[in-house]
Amino acid sequence: MVRKTGRKPLVADNRHRTARKKPSTKPRKTKGGKKSLFRALWGGQRKSRAKPAVRRKRGLFGWIRWGIGRILAMIWGVGWRIGLAAGILLGIAVANIYVTLPDFRALVDGRAQGSVTMLDRNGDVFAWRGDQFGGVVTTETVSPALKNAFVATEDKRFYRHFGLSPRGVASAIRINLREGRGPLSGHGGSTITQQTAKLLCLGVAYDPQAWKSEAAYEADCRRSSLGRKAKEALFALAMEAKYSKDEILSIYMNRAYLGGGAYGAEAAAQRYFGKSASQVNAAEAAMLAGLLTAPSTLAPTNNLQRSQDRAATVLRLMQEQGYLTAAEARAGQENPATLSKAAQARAGGYFADWVMETIPDFLGQDTTEDVVLQTTLDQRLQQAAEEAVDYVFTNKVREGSKAQAAVVVMSADGAVRAMVGGRQTRVSGVFNRATQAKRQTGSAFKPFVYATALELGYSPYDVVLDAEYCLNIPGSGQWCPKNYTHRFYGEVTLTRALKDSLNIPAVKISESVGRDLVRRVADDFGIESNLADGPALALGASESSLLEMTGAYAGILNGGSSVAPYGLTTLQLAQDNAPLFENGSGIGERVIRTEASQQLIWMMEKVITNGTGTRAQLPGWQAAGKSGTTQAARDAWFIGFTADYVAGVWMGYDDNTPLTGVTGGGLPAEIWRETMLRVHEGLPPKPLPMRAPAPLQVPEVRHEPQTAPRGQGQGQGLGNAIDNVLRGIFGN
């Protein structure tokens, strides 16, 4: 209201009033007097309703920029939503695996099969079979060099990544493509965590009912498809969430296969170096870590030089990553790791294979437990036999010969101390000619003919006529045995007949005492093969193995008792203190009298002294034995003994090709001699347990043994008959 003052309003007053009513052209401000954040970002202002702003023309580049911005905005809008959904699903998948993971200690031993560890007679390890696991190790208990070698070789960023290494994958793909392979073939770029996930088979345990074999199960675990890689990545992320880095590395060091049947660092350290994983030095650690790339190929028991070369590369990596100084790396390369004596034995060879065959499969090749076997093997004697075979073939056999040889050394009670099943001495899982080959024995069988005669009362001085002799064989006609020399020697003693390996006297004696008795005596001494029925039985027409024959000769040495060759003394589970099985001796029942065996030894001693086995003589030692050569020289034998050991040697071709210029008294006798010289090195000479027959008090009586079988009771032999005649003439 205008107060009435009595004066009219001034023109100026009206002007100011009018001006206040005009709309403002200044931009409106938001609360607080500031522009909104949206406008601050986009640089726009609120348009006046009274006067709209004029739209600027964008132009070509403006439209392009606008289009790209719209596309990026759409991608971002869709992408972050997809990423969020994928992240949630990934988290759920990882969490799903996380809750199934047990304590890391439950994952360190993943073997489906147990192990067999073999000890020699002195308790030293010489062979392994199955899957060895030396015990649980951790990153704290192994030597620092071994832990560092694993990381340097397999995953140098192990302690810095979250289980996956995109840089490692990209680098592996680049290398694979550059080398002409597929992106996923060859180098995988996997972290140690991913490799551990693969070793765990993504948590799927082996089920014998679900898989054809353990090999098929392991092959499936090691597939490298994209789907499999994705699952490994999820499992690796779950492991990283569940376990510490050192726990993951500990699982890896325990489960990784390191060749030679060794699973885990402890088993491998024991297998190759004979020491704990906590004691290995840098060179040994580098060799073990180097095996991770190709354990079977690089195993030092397969190719030591190749394994040492790989270890040199690992030492260089350890130096580059700061785990070793240049001097330490150089020292390791200049003094590479070498194998222990047990590892050099190359899995125990033929003897270990034979022992495994003598035990039940559920405690041997199929065992799910860790089994320890104490055996009869003497590693010194084993080396002696191997060196003897190598020496003779190197120095006395023509180069390129395919002939083979086998050797068995045992004690008189049947304890096998050494076994060579072929010229390749340090192998396993191959044909064993000492135990598996059945060959004709030739004249090596003759001692059992004379053992039968002596048991029946014959004397070594009894005489037999070595002259033309023929027998009618039903269904075969006439058979006339011949001596090796194709000569006849007239009246000869049984001792000379054996010493010179005369065939006709052996057949006559066999026919005289009865083939059934000869067959029975040989069988009782341990020759279990089917023995010939005809008169050629006396000449070794039957087949036998070297192990059987050597065991039978051991029965002669021990006084006439049968022998069952054995290689196992105790068997026990590794976690038990008491053995499941014990064996102290292979001696069985008596076959012939002690006196008869001692007289037979006296006769066999003459074979080596001045008979067919003179090349087997041992200076300073009494030795007895017998050579044997089969028809057409397809097999050559020499078996003999001293007071301490029995040894048997066989030589021939696997395909029965005749030997050239070889008889049992030749190269086999020399292998026997070289073996026994080494076996008896350092031992004091002992006399043989032999007994010379009492000399005849009357002029020698010569006679012809009967050609028909005689009675089978003891004391009914021709020698006793003559004794009775002499007693009737001269009295007692």
Side-chain angles (χ1 to χ4, degrees):
M1 172 185 278
V2 180
R3 188 173 53 182
K4 296 180 180 180
T5 60
R7 78 176 175 85
K8 297 179 180 180
L10 297 177
V11 175
D13 293 333
N14 292 332
R15 185 174 65 248
H16 290 303
R17 190 179 293 117
T18 304
R20 283 196 296 271
K21 292 179 181 179
K22 291 181 179 179
S24 173
T25 59
K26 295 180 180 180
R28 294 178 63 184
K29 296 181 179 180
T30 59
K31 293 181 180 180
K34 296 181 180 179
K35 298 178 181 180
S36 69
L37 177 60
F38 179 81
R39 292 191 184 92
L41 292 173
W42 292 96
Q45 296 179 348
R46 190 170 184 176
K47 298 177 182 178
S48 173
R49 295 178 182 175
K51 189 176 180 180
V54 178
R55 180 176 293 177
R56 283 182 5 185
K57 294 182 179 180
R58 288 191 174 91
L60 178 60
F61 291 106
W63 282 107
I64 293 174
R65 196 163 49 242
W66 178 82
I68 293 174
R70 294 288 293 176
I71 292 172
L72 291 176
M74 290 176 61
I75 293 174
W76 169 253
V78 174
W80 75 263
R81 288 174 175 82
I82 293 176
L84 178 61
I88 293 172
L89 293 175
L90 178 64
I92 293 173
V94 171
N96 226 15
I97 298 172
Y98 177 92
V99 297
T100 65
L101 293 175
D103 183 84
F104 91 97
R105 294 179 184 83
L107 302 176
V108 293
D109 184 2
R111 299 170 301 155
Q113 184 186 12
S115 66
V116 177
T117 301
M118 299 188 198
L119 311 179
D120 65 13
R121 66 183 300 190
N122 299 316
D124 296 325
V125 176
F126 74 91
W128 299 263
R129 291 293 186 272
D131 299 340
Q132 288 85 43
F133 181 69
V136 177
V137 298
T138 68
T139 54
E140 296 178 351
T141 60
V142 299
S143 74
L146 184 57
K147 172 185 173 181
N148 296 336
F150 268 57
V151 174
T153 306
E154 293 299 296
D155 188 1
K156 64 182 179 182
R157 301 183 186 89
F158 174 67
Y159 284 100
R160 300 195 297 274
H161 60 61
F162 55 92
L164 307 177
S165 177
R167 287 174 60 184
V169 174
S171 175
I173 291 175
R174 185 177 67 253
I175 294 172
N176 291 335
L177 293 175
R178 187 176 63 208
E179 295 179 353
R181 296 191 293 264
L184 297 179
S185 301
H187 300 278
S190 298
T191 64
I192 283 180
T193 311
Q194 288 175 280
Q195 293 180 56
T196 305
K198 181 180 289 188
L199 290 174
L200 295 173
C201 204
L202 306 183
V204 179
Y206 173 63
D207 182 1
Q209 305 300 324
W211 297 93
K212 292 182 179 179
S213 65
E214 187 179 354
Y217 163 77
E218 292 181 352
D220 183 74
C221 290
R222 284 153 181 72
R223 285 188 293 112
S224 297
S225 63
L226 283 173
R228 190 76 179 182
K229 287 288 185 183
K231 291 179 182 178
E232 285 176 11
L234 292 174
F235 205 89
L237 292 173
M239 290 181 64
E240 289 280 345
K242 178 78 173 182
Y243 309 123
S244 69
K245 287 287 188 180
D246 281 342
E247 287 174 341
I248 293 172
L249 184 55
S250 295
I251 297 172
Y252 184 61
M253 288 193 298
N254 281 286
R255 292 186 75 109
Y257 180 60
L258 296 172
Y263 283 80
E266 181 65 23
Q270 295 286 357
R271 173 74 176 85
Y272 300 128
F273 311 126
K275 61 175 65 174
S276 170
S278 63
Q279 299 173 320
V280 297
N281 57 35
E284 293 164 341
M287 181 174 285
L288 294 178
L291 299 177
L292 294 166
T293 305
S296 297
T297 303
L298 295 174
T301 48
N302 288 339
N303 190 318
L304 181 60
Q305 184 59 52
R306 185 164 49 193
S307 185
Q308 290 175 337
D309 292 342
R310 174 61 181 161
T313 300
V314 175
L315 289 168
R316 177 179 56 78
L317 292 174
M318 294 175 70
Q319 178 192 345
E320 291 174 355
Q321 296 173 36
Y323 294 117
L324 295 176
T325 65
E328 290 171 335
R330 185 168 57 254
Q333 291 170 340
E334 292 175 352
N335 301 281
T338 56
L339 293 171
S340 66
K341 289 183 178 180
Q344 291 174 12
R346 300 288 297 279
Y350 301 100
F351 179 88
D353 289 346
W354 170 63
V355 170
M356 288 292 288
E357 293 171 1
T358 65
I359 62 177
D361 287 346
F362 68 89
L363 290 173
Q365 60 183 7
D366 298 329
T367 180
T368 57
E369 303 281 351
D370 289 326
V371 178
V372 178
L373 306 180
Q374 180 92 39
T375 73
T376 60
L377 182 75
D378 188 315
Q379 294 196 64
R380 184 183 72 84
L381 272 58
Q382 178 67 30
Q383 183 177 359
E386 292 175 0
E387 289 178 353
V389 171
D390 182 67
Y391 173 82
V392 171
F393 272 88
T394 299
N395 297 284
K396 302 191 177 184
V397 177
R398 61 179 173 81
E399 187 175 355
S401 171
K402 301 297 183 183
Q404 285 289 346
V407 180
V408 171
V409 180
M410 68 173 62
S411 301
D413 67 344
V416 177
R417 303 302 183 188
M419 180 179 290
V420 176
R423 288 172 62 181
Q424 271 189 298
T425 55
R426 296 189 175 184
V427 292
S428 61
V430 298
F431 184 67
N432 189 341
R433 296 163 188 84
T435 61
Q436 295 173 300
K438 299 287 188 178
R439 309 294 292 240
Q440 285 191 346
T441 59
S443 294
F445 183 83
K446 288 176 180 175
F448 306 108
V449 174
Y450 293 99
T452 308
L454 293 171
E455 176 66 8
L456 292 176
Y458 281 61
S459 165
Y461 288 138
D462 277 347
V463 175
V464 62
L465 179 63
D466 180 29
E468 186 172 359
Y469 179 67
C470 296
L471 290 170
N472 288 317
I473 310 298
S476 299
Q478 193 177 62
W479 177 70
C480 302
K482 303 292 182 183
N483 292 324
Y484 180 77
T485 60
H486 297 283
R487 295 174 55 192
F488 302 111
Y489 296 91
E491 294 178 338
V492 295
T493 63
L494 270 60
T495 301
R496 183 185 174 188
L498 178 63
K499 174 177 71 74
D500 294 337
S501 197
L502 302 179
N503 290 336
I504 296 171
V507 174
K508 285 185 174 181
I509 294 297
S510 175
E511 294 299 297
S512 176
V513 300
R515 296 175 213 157
D516 289 344
L517 282 182
V518 173
R519 194 179 298 111
R520 177 180 170 183
V521 167
D523 182 75
D524 288 349
F525 267 123
I527 302 178
E528 299 175 352
S529 305
N530 292 329
L531 297 173
D533 292 327
L537 167 72
L539 305 184
S542 305
E543 294 181 341
S544 184
S545 70
L546 177 62
L547 182 65
E548 285 181 350
M549 290 293 290
T550 309
Y553 274 56
I556 297 172
L557 173 62
N558 69 32
S561 296
S562 65
V563 158
Y566 70 100
L568 180 66
T569 55
T570 62
L571 181 153
Q572 70 182 66
L573 301 181
Q575 68 271 20
D576 293 348
N577 294 324
L580 299 176
F581 168 85
E582 287 186 284
N583 182 26
S585 174
I587 294 181
E589 296 182 356
R590 177 166 296 282
V591 181
I592 60 175
R593 295 173 292 111
T594 301
E595 180 183 0
S597 71
Q598 291 175 343
Q599 288 185 350
L600 180 58
I601 294 171
W602 180 82
M603 294 170 64
M604 294 172 68
E605 191 266 345
K606 303 297 182 288
V607 173
I608 292 180
T609 303
N610 56 5
T612 59
T614 54
R615 291 167 75 173
Q617 291 178 0
L618 302 174
W621 285 83
Q622 287 184 345
K626 184 70 185 75
S627 60
T629 310
T630 63
Q631 187 176 14
R634 290 185 174 89
D635 303 279
W637 303 71
F638 193 89
I639 309 173
F641 45 79
T642 62
D644 291 307
Y645 293 106
V646 187
V649 176
W650 167 87
M651 186 173 175
Y653 286 93
D654 290 336
D655 60 1
N656 278 322
T657 299
L659 293 161
T660 304
V662 177
T663 63
L667 290 177
E670 294 199 31
I671 294 175
W672 186 90
R673 178 179 182 274
E674 294 296 333
T675 298
M676 295 297 256
L677 284 174
R678 292 166 172 79
V679 163
H680 290 82
E681 187 174 348
L683 299 179
K686 297 179 183 177
L688 281 170
M690 60 185 180
R691 177 185 298 183
L696 293 176
Q697 301 299 317
V698 297
E700 183 176 350
V701 178
R702 297 175 173 83
H703 61 271
E704 174 79 6
Q706 298 178 13
T707 58
R710 296 177 58 88
Q712 297 184 5
Q714 181 177 324
Q716 296 179 4
L718 186 58
N720 275 4
I722 295 175
D723 286 345
N724 291 335
V725 172
L726 293 176
R727 290 191 187 96
I729 298 174
F730 298 100
N732 293 330

